[in-house]
């Protein structure tokens, strides 16, 4: 190709000034020698045993001088194009021939030994087959989904609920058998509960189906297994195609049509009017520029004009808007008072766009905080049961991010924006924020990824926020502001909430230090992820503490008289007390062997060294 460019750019080859026949012959020899030298140099860099040296086209039979020059260039392109096409055809033929020979060899093996062929076929399905042609590597791989489709034509499905022991047993049984299972959790897919009643005559779970045929619950499954009938039924599932009247597989992106319809708030119409008519703008207040705000008087005037009511009634409407978190006082000083006080819509708060559950205003009637809490907890429990290991030490974040359960969870987090947290009892509040923290960690890992390094971790725990009850909550705010009664986080000089902050009203009244063993920040050294119920949260926290200490949260070396504690005790020492008090307190949550060792060390009144374990910040996955 380099020769062709030189030939066309050489002025001596122009149509206007062609050389004589003798000179042209000498010129062709010179060009030929130059081209041969160029080809030789290129072959030194990229040699190939099958690639012939391209030769310049002959011009001895040309009829005219013009044809001699043009023919030389066009013929060069023609030869190269012909060579490439021929090379492509040879390569394609070689690949087809090689594949055909492999297929023929498989057929020969089948005729000679059927059992051997079946083993080879299974191996081929699971492994990559590759073969080499001259200078070309061809790889053939069967897609896993094609293999699964070939193995099972039918479908095993079952209806379940979150936190159901029998459902867990069914799920584990089919997993150990290596059989695909379609789970329909009616706590997540609430629209399917009516189908469950129609198919089974009750709402009890689990209910197992082989294609369209109802098998029953865990007892029926065990009966099939003990009688040997299960293998025959499974064989039918493998061979028979699933009929259309079998329980349908949940479809991603399809919302429930039978779920409770969100009721529009009774004051939503007033909110829409004031949004359009209020002069929302930036104003100067206390030597500060306050963005996107309006005054109380302006709101009262708009309401009086729109409803044709008294100002006292309009003031009460303003207080209602504050109580339902449609508007907030800019400086958080009051609910609503007539005058030049500045207020702002919730969607105009600086923190709202940064919250990961805020995707525009939600004007529906705020749902009860307890109801929202229960629904979200059930969905997250269903997610863990489906996409985490049995011991909850490994979480498949990739599968969760693509699941319908997680999509519904993210949509439901909008209901948190204007819930009234003050209506929760102390135990409900404790369970609510424990579960919210653990759910937010999963969402944060999926949305922003696992943090690497100290700076990323600080951002992970402070910048990922939800809008809950009209105010932003980060992971750090929940842990230190709510559950630790507004105490400074480790290595911080300020408290999460300042004096007079409205979020202080939500903080728990009395801190329970066991909550530390109910928070999972996703790392390998943190407690395992779990979700709590308001009725049993205190007992469940004690169970979480015992489990944490059994799995390495404490180690006792009797010879060295050393106790190795999780670094949580060092970071939050103020929550547990002095080291000796901590050791006495821990005995209540240890298994008998560790409790005996620790009691022996404390009983002889000798010196005890407390050392803190390294914290593994890598994430469970």
């Amino acid at each position: 190709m380099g020769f062709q460019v030189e030939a066309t750019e050489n002025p001596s080859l122009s149509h206007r000034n062609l050389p004589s026949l003798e000179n042209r012959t000498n010129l062709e020899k010179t060009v030929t020698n130059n081209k041969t030298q160029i080809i030789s140099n290129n072959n030194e860099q990229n040699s190939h045993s099958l690639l012939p040296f391209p030769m310049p086209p002959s011009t001895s039979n040309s009829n005219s001088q013009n044809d001699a020059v043009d023919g030389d260039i066009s013929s060069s392109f023609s030869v190269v194009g012909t060579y490439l096409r021929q090379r492509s055809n040879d390569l394609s033929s070689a690949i087809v021939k090689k594949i055909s020979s492999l297929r023929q060899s498989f057929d020969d093996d089948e005729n000679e030994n059927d059992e051997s062929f079946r083993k080879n076929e299974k191996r081929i399905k699971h492994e990559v087959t590759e073969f080499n042609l001259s200078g070309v590597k061809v790889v053939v791989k069967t897609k896993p989904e094609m293999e699964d489709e070939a193995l099972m034509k039918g479908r095993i499905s079952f209806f379940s609920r979150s936190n159901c022991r029998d459902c867990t047993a069914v799920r584990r049984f089919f997993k150990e058998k290596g059989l695909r299972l379609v789970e329909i959790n009616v706590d997540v897919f609430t629209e399917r509960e009516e189908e469950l009643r129609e198919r089974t005559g009750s709402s009890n779970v689990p209910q197992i189906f082989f294609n369209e045929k109802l098998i029953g619950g865990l007892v029926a499954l065990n009966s099939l297994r003990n009688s040997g009938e299960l293998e025959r039924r499974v064989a039918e599932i493998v061979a028979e195609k699933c009929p259309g009247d079998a329980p349908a597989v949940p479809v991603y992106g399809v919302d429930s049509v039978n779920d409770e319809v969100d009721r529009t708030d009774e004051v939503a119409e007033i909110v829409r009017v004031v949004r359009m008519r209020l002069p929302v703008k930036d104003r100067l207040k206390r030597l500060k520029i306050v963005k996107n705000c309006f005054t109380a008087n302006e709101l009262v005037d708009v309401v009086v004009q729109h409803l044709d009511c008294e100002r006292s009634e309009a003031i009460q409407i303003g207080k209602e808007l504050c109580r339902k978190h449609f508007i907030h006082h800019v400086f958080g000083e009051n609910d609503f008072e007539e005058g030049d006080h500045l207020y702002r819509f919730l969607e105009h708060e600086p923190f709202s766009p940064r919250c990961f559950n805020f995707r525009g205003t939600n004007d529906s009637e705020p749902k009860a905080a307890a109801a929202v809490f229960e629904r979200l907890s059930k969905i997250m429990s269903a997610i863990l049961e489906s996409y985490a290991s049995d011991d909850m030490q490994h979480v498949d974040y990739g599968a969760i991010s693509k699941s319908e359960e997680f999509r519904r969870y993210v949509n439901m987090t909008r209901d948190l924006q204007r819930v009234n947290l003050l209506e929760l009892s102390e135990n409900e509040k404790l369970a609510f924020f424990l579960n919210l923290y653990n759910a937010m960690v999963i969402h944060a890992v999926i949305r922003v990824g696992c943090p690497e390094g100290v700076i990323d971790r600080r951002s992970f725990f402070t910048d990922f926020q939800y809008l809950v009850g009209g105010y932003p909550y980060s992971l750090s705010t929940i842990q230190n502001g709510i559950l630790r009664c507004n105490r400074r986080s480790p290595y911080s000089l300020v408290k999460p909430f300042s004096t007079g902050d409205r979020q202080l009203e939500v903080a728990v009244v009395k801190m329970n230090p066991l909550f530390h063993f109910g928070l999972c920040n996703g790392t390998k050294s943190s407690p395992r992820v779990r979700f709590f119920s308001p009725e049993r949260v205190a007992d469940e926290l004690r169970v979480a503490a015992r489990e944490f200490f059994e799995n390495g949260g404490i180690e006792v070396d009797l010879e060295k008289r050393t106790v190795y504690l999780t670094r949580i005790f060092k970071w939050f020492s103020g929550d547990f007390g002095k080291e000796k008090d901590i050791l006495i307190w821990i005995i209540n949550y240890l298994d008998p062997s560790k409790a005996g060792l620790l009691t022996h060390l404390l009983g002889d009144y000798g010196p005890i060294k407390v050392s803190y374990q390294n914290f593994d910040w890598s994430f469970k996955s």
Side-chain angles (χ1 to χ4, degrees):
M1 298 298 292
F3 163 72
Q4 295 170 10
V5 174
E6 289 181 9
T8 56
E9 292 180 352
N10 194 335
S12 63
L13 296 181
S14 65
H15 293 285
R16 297 180 180 180
N17 188 21
L18 293 175
S20 63
L21 181 61
E22 180 178 357
N23 292 336
R24 186 176 67 189
T25 302
N26 294 332
L27 177 63
E28 289 176 359
K29 292 180 180 180
T30 302
V31 171
T32 301
N33 292 335
N34 290 340
K35 180 177 180 182
T36 304
Q37 181 64 32
I38 293 173
I39 294 173
S40 177
N41 292 337
N42 290 338
N43 286 337
E44 291 178 1
Q45 299 176 357
N46 186 19
S47 60
H48 198 292
S49 58
L50 298 181
L51 184 64
F53 295 134
M55 298 298 294
S58 174
T59 59
S60 57
N61 296 328
S62 300
N63 295 327
S64 66
Q65 293 176 336
N66 290 345
D67 291 341
V69 177
D70 294 342
D72 183 48
I73 298 174
S74 61
S75 299
S76 298
F77 282 109
S78 176
V79 170
V80 173
T82 301
Y83 166 73
L84 292 176
R85 286 193 298 272
Q86 184 63 36
R87 178 63 178 166
S88 176
N89 293 335
D90 293 343
L91 180 61
S92 301
S93 300
I95 293 175
V96 172
K97 185 176 181 181
K98 190 67 176 179
I99 295 176
S100 299
S101 64
L102 287 175
R103 184 180 302 170
Q104 183 62 37
S105 65
F106 293 154
D107 294 338
D108 295 341
D109 290 342
E110 182 179 20
N111 295 331
E112 295 175 0
N113 191 334
D114 292 341
E115 183 66 21
S116 175
F117 172 74
R118 283 193 293 270
K119 293 181 179 179
N120 289 336
E121 185 183 39
K122 185 176 181 180
R123 176 181 58 81
I124 291 171
K125 285 183 177 181
H126 286 279
E127 297 179 1
V128 176
T129 302
E130 64 180 49
F131 50 88
N132 292 319
L133 300 176
S134 178
V136 180
K137 182 178 180 181
V138 180
V139 179
V140 179
K141 184 177 181 180
T142 304
K143 292 184 178 180
E145 54 268 23
M146 294 175 61
E147 175 190 358
D148 291 341
E149 193 67 26
L151 290 176
M152 181 180 291
K153 295 182 179 180
R155 181 164 67 236
I156 301 174
S157 54
F158 87 111
F159 289 86
S160 67
R161 294 186 188 274
S162 301
N163 303 314
C164 171
R165 292 184 179 180
D166 287 355
C167 297
T168 300
V170 170
R171 193 183 301 111
R172 185 176 300 160
F173 174 82
F174 284 105
K175 184 178 181 180
E176 292 174 353
K177 290 289 185 180
L179 297 172
R180 287 180 299 161
L181 184 66
V182 174
E183 182 173 355
I184 307 168
N185 190 311
V186 294
D187 286 335
V188 178
F189 308 101
T190 54
E191 69 276 15
R192 305 292 295 272
E193 188 164 2
E194 182 62 29
E195 177 188 350
L196 170 64
R197 293 192 186 96
E198 292 177 356
R199 288 181 178 272
T200 66
S202 72
S203 58
N204 296 330
V205 293
Q207 294 292 343
I208 308 167
F209 287 80
F210 284 4
N211 285 339
E212 82 286 4
K213 300 175 183 177
L214 173 64
I215 300 300
L218 181 61
V219 175
L221 180 63
N222 287 331
S223 177
L224 283 178
R225 181 181 59 179
N226 296 334
S227 64
E229 184 71 8
L230 181 62
E231 286 73 12
R232 186 185 68 81
R233 293 292 189 94
V234 171
E236 293 177 354
I237 293 294
V238 172
E240 296 178 1
K241 186 177 180 180
C242 184
D245 57 346
V249 178
V251 181
Y252 181 89
V254 178
D255 290 311
S256 168
V257 295
N258 296 326
D259 264 349
E260 178 186 356
V261 179
D262 292 337
R263 295 180 302 169
T264 302
D265 197 295
E266 58 184 4
V267 296
E269 179 61 31
I270 299 176
V271 173
R272 282 192 287 269
V273 171
V274 296
R275 279 180 182 145
M276 292 186 296
R277 298 186 180 181
L278 277 176
V280 177
K281 58 184 179 181
D282 299 346
R283 303 166 193 262
L284 180 63
K285 187 75 170 183
R286 300 178 184 176
L287 302 180
K288 294 181 180 180
I289 298 295
V290 182
K291 294 183 175 295
N292 301 322
C293 59
F294 55 89
T295 67
N297 286 335
E298 291 169 340
L299 175 63
V300 171
D301 292 340
V302 170
V303 173
V304 168
Q305 182 180 4
H306 174 66
L307 298 180
D308 192 19
C309 62
E310 299 293 333
R311 293 189 70 84
S312 59
E313 185 179 349
I315 293 173
Q316 292 302 319
I317 292 176
K319 291 183 178 181
E320 184 70 5
L321 297 183
C322 273
R323 186 184 67 83
K324 291 188 174 182
H325 301 294
F326 281 109
I327 62 175
H328 284 160
H329 190 281
V330 168
F331 302 109
E333 295 177 350
N334 56 61
D335 288 335
F336 187 82
E337 292 182 3
E338 188 178 11
D340 61 351
H341 304 289
L342 296 183
Y343 294 86
R344 192 158 37 202
F345 286 108
L346 181 62
E347 59 267 27
H348 292 157
E349 292 281 9
F351 53 75
S352 292
R354 298 197 299 266
C355 294
F356 284 80
N357 68 327
F358 181 82
R359 292 178 294 172
T361 57
N362 182 4
D363 291 344
S364 300
E365 179 74 22
K367 297 178 181 178
V372 176
F373 156 74
E374 182 181 9
R375 181 90 167 96
L376 292 179
S377 298
K378 286 182 177 180
I379 292 181
M380 290 308 301
S381 295
I383 287 174
L384 290 181
E385 290 168 352
S386 299
Y387 304 106
S389 60
D390 293 338
D391 60 0
M392 299 297 171
Q393 295 299 322
H394 302 281
V395 181
D396 190 345
Y397 293 106
I400 292 175
S401 67
K402 302 173 184 177
S403 69
E404 171 65 10
E405 295 93 329
F406 182 71
R407 188 192 71 85
R408 293 196 176 196
Y409 162 79
V410 173
N411 286 343
M412 280 205 64
T413 57
R414 291 189 64 202
D415 293 337
L416 294 169
Q417 293 179 13
R418 296 192 296 110
V419 296
N420 184 8
L421 298 178
L422 297 179
E423 67 186 18
L424 295 175
S425 66
E426 194 70 4
N427 283 341
E428 286 177 335
K429 195 182 302 180
L430 176 60
F432 177 92
F433 281 103
L434 284 170
N435 292 0
L436 183 63
Y437 182 100
N438 292 337
M440 286 177 63
V441 167
I442 295 175
H443 192 180
V445 171
I446 293 173
R447 185 65 177 82
V448 303
C450 301
E452 298 180 1
V454 177
I455 297 178
D456 289 342
R457 284 199 296 270
R458 183 175 294 275
S459 175
F460 182 87
F461 290 108
T462 58
D463 293 348
F464 188 88
Q465 300 177 344
Y466 272 9
L467 181 62
V468 185
Y471 298 98
Y473 289 88
S474 67
L475 296 171
S476 179
T477 301
I478 293 175
Q479 181 176 18
N480 301 293
I482 303 298
L483 299 177
R484 296 185 64 226
C485 302
N486 199 33
R487 300 189 181 188
R488 289 189 295 270
S489 62
Y491 314 115
S492 177
L493 300 178
V494 297
K495 295 180 179 181
F497 304 136
S498 59
T499 304
D501 197 314
R502 305 301 294 268
Q503 290 174 273
L504 278 175
E505 301 175 7
V506 183
V508 296
V509 177
K510 183 179 180 181
M511 183 192 65
N512 183 350
L514 288 175
F515 86 84
H516 286 288
F517 309 109
L519 295 182
C520 176
N521 58 25
T523 60
K524 293 182 178 179
S525 288
S526 72
R528 79 171 181 89
V529 59
R530 66 178 75 222
F531 293 92
F532 300 86
S533 60
E535 303 82 8
R536 302 185 304 274
V537 61
D539 294 334
E540 290 169 347
L541 281 175
R542 283 191 284 269
V543 172
R546 292 190 185 99
E547 183 180 284
F548 180 73
F549 291 128
E550 288 176 2
N551 294 326
I554 181 175
E555 297 295 339
V556 181
D557 191 328
L558 200 58
E559 294 182 357
K560 297 182 180 179
R561 300 188 62 83
T562 301
V563 179
Y564 299 92
L565 292 178
T566 174
R567 198 163 286 267
I568 292 175
F569 287 107
K570 182 178 181 180
W571 292 330
F572 303 99
S573 58
D575 298 351
F576 298 97
K578 298 179 180 179
E579 289 182 347
K580 187 174 182 179
D581 296 333
I582 291 175
L583 298 180
I584 297 175
W585 177 82
I586 287 178
I587 292 178
N588 299 317
Y589 305 99
L590 299 183
D591 60 77
S593 60
K594 288 184 179 180
L597 292 175
L598 187 54
T599 302
H600 179 74
L601 286 179
L602 293 172
D604 62 10
Y605 301 103
I608 301 176
K609 180 182 178 182
V610 176
S611 181
Y612 295 97
Q613 304 166 351
N614 292 328
F615 198 90
D616 190 348
W617 286 102
S618 56
F619 270 63
K620 301 173 183 178
S621 59

